Structure formats: structure tokens, C-alpha cells
């Protein structure tokens, strides 16, 4: 089995050198870029299993790189952000980032996040090879697991990998509360950590894309202090 090939786009040479050393010891094959333009070129011309993308970059910033990349590729992206920059994280998730990690970070946490994303992507690919329901439908939403497509009123809705996983989990347990820790584990493939708002941001973006029910009610209800619930509209069919 080939080692996962990662693209690290980080302009700080000391951080980049440290991460290459650590990630190489974990068995990853690393390619580096030190500015946004070079990072985008490499990401578009080569195939990577994961892109580690710093937001603050010379040339093009990380958000610009992600925006351009998403026009042609769905490579999983882990973004590195300055601590407290919620706006950058929100925008990054809206553009299709899979996860984020604020700086300064514990290198072991970065490795754990990378492995979680790769594991989730691997499980998604493996699941598509096996027998899966032809569709998962409720009222005006149809999910096709084999192609990972989602349709709202017969019109396809473009979701990120994380958003799709969250929708399937909530829709499969319609009317049941799923706590944030469980949803993070199932949809993002990792444990919920302190001050971790990734699942909240993904759910927020999912709400925007799906809108309210035909009756004008929120599809996904927040159960404060617990988690989320997909409102019962009609029985889910598979």
C-alpha cells in the first residue's frame, strides 16, 4: 500500500521543516510549497491525498487557493488558521475545507486530524464499493449514497464531504437528537475537542444550502448544550 501523499503549503520554513520531519516519521510522503501560487499549481497538477493549507500565505492567501482548487478538485483540505480568526474558519468551511486547526497547535493533534480525515475518506470510498441503499429520501430531499449526490426538489445541491456525512447521519436518525461528540466522531472521523466548533460551522453551512422545510420550519434543530436533530417531516425511506 502506498504512503498517503500530502501537500503542505506553509510559508514559514521552520514550521514547514518541523512538520515534514514529524509527518515523514508517521509514514506520510510530503511535498512542500511556500506560497499560495506554487501551492495551487501543485494541487491542480498533481494528485494528493490531503492538502495542509495555511491561510496566511504570500502570493495568494489560503482562502484564494481553496476557492480556486474547489473549481476543479475535491482534495481533502485541512486549514491552519490564526487562533481566534473565526471569520476565516467560517469562510474556509463555506468554500469546502474539511477541517481546521488554529495556530499554535500541538503537532500530535495535527497528525491526529490528518489521520481522521484520511480514515474518513477511506471509509467513504470503501463504503461506495459495497451494497448501499439506492437512495435515502424524506419529503423534498433525496440522497444517493452510491454517488454521494444530494437533491433538493430534484435539483442537485453541492455539499462538501463533511456536510454530506452530517446530512446522512442526521437524516438516518430523523427525529432523534445526535450529540455533538457522536456527530463529530461519525461525520468527521475524530473526537470532539475543547472549543471545537467545526461541527457547528458545517451544520450552519448545511442549513444555508438546504433552507427550511416546505412548511417554513428549520430542517435541523439545535438542541442547546446537547447536539442536533433533523426535524421529522415524513418517514425516511431507503
Amino acid at each position: 500500500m502506498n504512503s498517503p501523499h500530502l501537500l503542505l503549503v506553509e510559508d514559514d520554513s521552520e514550521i514547514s521543516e518541523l512538520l515534514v520531519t514529524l509527518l515523514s516519521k508517521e509514514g506520510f510522503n510530503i511535498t512542500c510549497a511556500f506560497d499560495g501560487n506554487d501551492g495551487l499549481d501543485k494541487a491542480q497538477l498533481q494528485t494528493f491525498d490531503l492538502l495542509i493549507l495555511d491561510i496566511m500565505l504570500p502570493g495568494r492567501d489560503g482562502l484564494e487557493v481553496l476557492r480556486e482548487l474547489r473549481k476543479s478538485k475535491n482534495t481533502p483540505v485541512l486549514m491552519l488558521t490564526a487562533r481566534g480568526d473565526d471569520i476565516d474558519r467560517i469562510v474556509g468551511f463555506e468554500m469546502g475545507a474539511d477541517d481546521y486547526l488554529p495556530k499554535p497547535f500541538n503537532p500530535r493533534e495535527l497528525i491526529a486530524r490528518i489521520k481522521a480525515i484520511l480514515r474518513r475518506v477511506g471509509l467513504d470510498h470503501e463504503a461506495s464499493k459495497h451494497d448501499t441503499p439506492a437512495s435515502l429520501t424524506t419529503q423534498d430531499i433525496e440522497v444517493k449514497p452510491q454517488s454521494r449526490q444530494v437533491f433538493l426538489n430534484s435539483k442537485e445541491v453541492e455539499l462538501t464531504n463533511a456536510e454530506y456525512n452530517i446530512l446522512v447521519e442526521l437524516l438516518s436518525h430523523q427525529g432523534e437528537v445526535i450529540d455533538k461528540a457522536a456527530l463529530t466522531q461519525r461525520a468527521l472521523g475524530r473526537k470532539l475537542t475543547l472549543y471545537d466548533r467545526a461541527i457547528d460551522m458545517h451544520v450552519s453551512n448545511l442549513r444555508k444550502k438546504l433552507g427550511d422545510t416546505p412548511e417554513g420550519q428549520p430542517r435541523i434543530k439545535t438542541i442547546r448544550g446537547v447536539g442536533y436533530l433533523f426535524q421529522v417531516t415524513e418517514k425516511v425511506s431507503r
Side-chain angles (χ1 to χ4, degrees):
M1 182 177 179
N2 294 329
S3 299
H5 191 183
L6 313 183
L7 173 61
L8 172 62
V9 188
E10 167 61 67
D11 65 314
D12 188 312
S13 59
E14 290 186 5
I15 293 177
S16 181
E17 184 176 346
L18 171 64
L19 292 180
V20 168
T21 300
L22 290 172
L23 294 172
S24 296
K25 289 181 179 178
E26 292 293 325
F28 298 118
N29 180 18
I30 314 298
T31 294
C32 293
F34 298 95
D35 64 69
N37 290 320
D38 186 33
L40 180 60
D41 288 343
K42 283 183 167 66
Q44 289 177 325
L45 295 175
Q46 301 179 53
T47 298
F48 295 95
D49 295 293
L50 178 77
L51 171 60
I52 304 169
L53 180 62
D54 190 18
I55 284 189
M56 300 301 293
L57 292 169
R60 293 176 187 254
D61 66 31
L63 294 176
E64 289 184 73
V65 173
L66 180 60
R67 182 186 295 111
E68 288 301 312
L69 181 65
R70 281 294 176 257
K71 293 179 180 178
S72 59
K73 287 198 171 186
N74 200 34
T75 307
V77 173
L78 171 63
M79 300 206 75
L80 304 179
T81 71
R83 188 174 298 278
D85 284 355
D86 281 346
I87 296 300
D88 284 344
R89 296 173 200 172
I90 291 169
V91 173
F93 280 132
E94 288 176 343
M95 291 179 185
D98 292 80
D99 206 350
Y100 75 90
L101 195 60
K103 290 182 174 181
F105 52 82
N106 184 320
R108 304 309 305 179
E109 177 64 18
L110 174 65
I111 291 170
R113 294 290 182 97
I114 290 170
K115 289 182 176 180
I117 294 173
L118 294 176
R119 184 167 56 249
R120 189 186 76 229
V121 172
L123 289 173
D124 290 343
H125 290 168
E126 192 65 25
S128 67
K129 299 177 185 178
H130 296 86
D131 292 334
T132 56
S135 66
L136 180 64
T137 64
T138 180
Q139 203 171 24
D140 54 346
I141 295 177
E142 179 182 11
V143 178
K144 295 186 176 180
Q146 292 181 335
S147 59
R148 294 178 67 84
Q149 291 176 291
V150 176
F151 296 88
L152 177 63
N153 291 316
S154 301
K155 182 177 181 181
E156 186 169 5
V157 180
E158 294 291 336
L159 299 183
T160 65
N161 288 326
E163 291 163 1
Y164 173 87
N165 291 341
I166 290 169
L167 176 60
V168 169
E169 286 298 327
L170 292 172
L171 197 55
S172 297
H173 299 86
Q174 189 178 188
E176 302 175 18
V177 178
I178 302 181
D179 67 65
K180 288 175 59 174
L183 192 56
T184 299
Q185 186 68 59
R186 296 177 197 171
L188 304 185
R190 61 174 176 79
K191 293 183 178 180
L192 180 69
T193 57
L194 191 64
Y195 308 121
D196 187 349
R197 295 189 57 222
I199 204 74
D200 301 316
M201 293 179 182
H202 285 307
V203 169
S204 177
N205 291 332
L206 184 58
R207 282 175 170 146
K208 293 175 184 177
K209 292 181 180 182
L210 297 179
D212 292 337
T213 68
E215 294 78 26
Q217 300 298 316
R219 297 180 191 276
I220 303 172
K221 183 178 181 180
T222 299
I223 309 301
R224 191 170 299 279
V226 182
Y228 296 99
L229 174 149
F230 197 99
Q231 303 263 40
V232 175
T233 51
E234 65 178 41
K235 186 176 177 62
V236 175
S237 60
R238 294 174 180 266

